[in-house]
Amino acid sequence: MERPVFRVPRSRAHETHRALRDEILAALEPILFDRVSEGAEVRRELERAFSAVVKQPFACAVHSGTVGLFLALRACGVGRGDEVITVANSDISTTGAISMCGAVPVLCDVLESDYTIDVERVEACITPRTRAILPVDLHGHPADVKRLRELADRFELKIVQDAALATGASDYQQPVGAFADAAVFSFAPIKPLGSVGSGAMVTTSDPEVAERLELLRGYGHAPVDKVEAPGYQNYLLEGYNVPLDPLQATLLKVKLPFLDTWTQKRRAIASAYAEGLRDSGAILPTFRPESNPTFRSYTVRVADQQACHEALRRAGIEAVLHYAPPITHYSVYNASGKECSLPGASDLPVTEMLAAELLSLPVTVELTDGDVQYVVDTLCTALGV
Ligand SMILES: Cc1ncc(COP(=O)(O)O)c(C=O)c1O
């Protein structure tokens, strides 16, 4: 099936890549044509640069956000029979990563304001089996992880933050991830910092978590000081082979210095949407004063979601319904189509309401003022104003 060409797409990253063509090609040159070891080295360089940007001492570049969440949970000690508190308005990767560890996702409702986990409701989800909390920075809106930290410390729980959509965002004047035991940033193509394939970074300030991440990423292969004799192999655990591909790492290394400028641009686009839609009848997200989001998309709420979505798509605007329905409706968690088997699933009134109303508008740094105005005008018409 031919892919539709949108007048206002979710991503025009190729335009940015064209603008950076010389830098990208120059950076790829040694990876492709020099020593084999350059691949690992460029990954390390990206890790160092990303560490500095998010102000975390350790960064581990891995194959994808999905894998990053799984490794982060494992590195934080989550295993079979444990419970992990999370949300139902996320990508399947979030709950999937928990289940891959043999743990059980326990679902907590979210806030109507910025769509992130409702911290007030988390304590009621804690049981003797709870091992960790996995908040999601949905659409790039920081969850209140500083407040979660207090709760987690009181109950001796770990926090793995799903910052897949939030690269560039900050909270309480710290880059997102600062209050978590580990945070995961996705580099999938339509993300605030996108590669052209898969990729992610897991960050932490805990050296033990960092060491376990490194092992899990690379087969569990022991460093040279932990082998019986020179040239021998040793494995400290059964790990995986899931490092970030060096070609993606190279592209990301060229793009990373622009992250701050692009985050500002994303915020400016979000402000223009907010201004344009102020009297439209759409309900706009609102944020805690400390929260400084980035915007993977600008997600509003509308009464007739399906009609607005259709009207925008017909007009060539790549609006999406992320994430609808809540994961509790997916066949994998709800074989009967009536009742989801995950704990907490029956008590998510805000999640359910948001999923029926949300509408995500395109945010990509290449959008012009004219593009944004076109989206605003089209949505206003669909809303009858
Ligand atoms: C909230 C959230 N978490 C995790 C992921 C998984 O990231 P990846 O696609 O890099 O595996 C996604 C991907 O869209 C996401 O939106």
Side-chain angles (χ1 to χ4, degrees):
M1 202 172 77
E2 224 175 280
R3 289 186 63 194
V5 178
F6 289 98
R7 173 171 164 179
V8 186
R10 295 170 68 205
S11 170
R12 279 198 193 123
H14 65 284
E15 291 178 8
T16 291
H17 294 166
R18 282 182 194 166
L20 295 172
R21 180 190 294 266
D22 290 348
E23 289 94 319
I24 293 169
L25 292 180
L28 283 171
E29 178 86 19
I31 305 300
L32 292 171
F33 305 117
D34 278 4
R35 296 176 297 124
V36 178
S37 63
E38 290 288 1
E41 185 51 32
V42 72
R43 202 160 41 233
R44 273 193 292 276
E45 286 170 12
L46 179 69
E47 287 171 345
R48 280 195 289 270
F50 198 86
S51 271
V53 167
V54 298
K55 298 193 184 136
Q56 289 290 299
F58 305 104
C60 181
V62 297
H63 167 265
S64 66
T66 308
V67 160
L69 287 169
F70 168 60
L71 298 192
L73 287 163
R74 286 275 315 265
C76 285
V78 172
R80 193 157 299 285
D82 290 336
E83 291 179 354
V84 178
I85 299 168
T86 191
V87 293
N89 61 337
S90 186
D91 193 80
I92 184 81
S93 312
T94 309
T95 38
I98 296 168
S99 303
M100 280 191 276
C101 295
V104 178
V106 174
L107 302 175
C108 180
D109 212 357
V110 297
L111 297 170
E112 219 181 304
S113 52
D114 65 8
Y115 324 141
T116 63
I117 194 164
D118 183 347
V119 179
E120 293 291 328
R121 296 175 65 115
V122 172
E123 188 166 346
C125 300
I126 297 174
T127 75
R129 297 205 306 177
T130 307
R131 186 71 179 233
I133 307 172
L134 202 173
V136 178
D137 299 330
L138 198 67
H139 311 302
H141 313 167
D144 195 345
V145 183
K146 185 165 188 273
R147 278 188 67 208
L148 281 177
R149 182 78 266 165
E150 289 156 23
L151 195 65
D153 288 347
R154 188 145 52 87
F155 287 89
E156 294 183 13
L157 307 176
K158 297 289 186 185
I159 300 180
V160 173
Q161 183 167 3
D162 182 340
L165 304 176
T167 312
S170 58
D171 202 7
Y172 298 97
Q173 300 185 327
Q174 308 261 17
V176 288
F179 305 103
D181 294 282
V184 180
F185 302 83
S186 169
F187 302 140
I190 308 182
K191 297 288 192 288
L193 183 69
S195 67
V196 291
S198 289
M201 195 70 81
V202 187
T203 61
T204 181
S205 58
D206 181 336
E208 285 177 20
V209 171
E211 200 179 315
R212 280 197 291 273
L213 282 170
E214 186 80 27
L215 280 174
L216 287 165
R217 170 178 69 174
Y219 303 99
H221 197 261
V224 280
D225 61 337
K226 292 207 169 72
V227 295
E228 280 176 44
Y232 275 30
Q233 311 293 311
N234 188 15
Y235 292 86
L236 301 183
L237 47 80
E238 288 177 332
Y240 308 87
N241 175 22
V242 285
L244 176 64
D245 180 273
L247 297 180
Q248 307 300 341
T250 305
L251 173 63
L252 290 161
K253 199 163 78 73
V254 173
K255 292 176 76 172
L256 183 61
F258 299 94
L259 177 64
D260 200 35
T261 308
W262 293 338
T263 304
Q264 304 302 338
K265 180 76 201 278
R266 286 177 181 277
R267 289 178 185 145
I269 292 169
S271 296
Y273 276 137
E275 179 60 25
L277 295 170
R278 204 175 35 186
D279 301 318
S280 66
I283 302 173
L284 310 180
T286 56
F287 303 100
R288 290 176 285 110
E290 315 81 28
S291 162
N292 203 2
T294 187
F295 293 88
R296 193 286 277 271
S297 54
Y298 187 69
T299 302
V300 302
R301 291 160 56 198
V302 291
D304 196 342
Q305 180 191 59
Q306 290 294 329
C308 289
H309 180 236
E310 241 181 77
L312 292 180
R313 304 280 291 200
R314 237 183 293 115
I317 297 163
E318 198 179 4
V320 292
L321 306 180
H322 279 175
Y323 286 99
I327 58 116
T328 48
H329 295 223
Y330 294 163
S331 304
V332 61
Y333 300 126
N334 192 340
S336 69
K338 290 195 192 95
E339 207 177 314
C340 171
S341 54
L342 297 177
S346 60
D347 189 21
L348 304 172
V350 180
T351 304
E352 292 285 348
M353 177 193 69
L354 292 176
E357 296 181 353
L358 60 82
L359 180 68
S360 289
L361 308 176
V363 176
T364 179
V365 294
E366 303 80 9
L367 291 190
T368 63
D369 293 350
D371 291 328
V372 174
Q373 192 59 49
Y374 177 65
V375 177
V376 166
D377 292 344
T378 309
L379 183 53
C380 284
T381 304
L383 290 165
V385 289

